[in-house]
Amino acid sequence: MVKLLIGHKGSGKTNQMVQLANDCIEKGAGSIIFINKNHRLMYELNYKIRVICMEDFEHITNIDEYIGFLYGIISSDHDIETIFIDSILTVSYT
């Protein structure tokens, strides 16, 4: 299932996503992944949530590599329950 949080800039989409991730870790039995473009949200998320910052992976330059990166994350852990991706449209890949 795909759930999109859509709204104007500054409408609180990221805060909603952080709250959903923190709520999901209390209810779920599997791993939770949160992909963000920088390290800004690391301390707002529960310590059980695996945070991946895309600034650390500057070798990903296009959408095909990004999709391959997501496939690699999924294949490395078969216990993943939910993946949250923040700011996916603001990351520019050429």
Side-chain angles (χ1 to χ4, degrees):
M1 175 173 68
V2 175
K3 184 175 184 179
L4 299 174
L5 295 177
I6 300 171
H8 295 288
K9 184 176 181 177
S11 63
K13 298 178 297 294
T14 299
N15 290 335
Q16 282 182 324
M17 192 176 297
V18 168
Q19 186 62 36
L20 282 171
N22 286 332
D23 291 343
C24 194
I25 199 71
E26 295 173 5
K27 298 175 188 173
S31 300
I32 307 295
I33 310 291
F34 196 96
I35 301 174
N36 195 19
K37 64 181 177 179
N38 54 27
H39 296 278
R40 183 175 57 95
L41 299 174
M42 186 173 293
Y43 299 108
E44 295 178 26
L45 292 164
N46 190 314
Y47 71 93
K48 296 178 184 176
I49 298 172
R50 182 174 157 198
V51 179
I52 298 173
C53 301
M54 292 309 295
E55 285 180 346
D56 298 336
F57 300 96
E58 61 269 349
H59 61 277
I60 298 175
T61 58
N62 60 38
I63 195 68
D64 292 330
E65 292 173 355
Y66 190 80
I67 291 170
F69 178 73
L70 289 175
Y71 285 158
I73 291 171
I74 293 167
S75 68
S76 69
D77 185 1
H78 298 287
D79 200 27
I80 293 176
E81 184 176 310
T82 308
I83 298 177
F84 292 93
I85 303 174
D86 188 30
S87 304
I88 193 168
L89 295 178
T90 60
V91 179
S92 61
Y93 296 113
T94 56

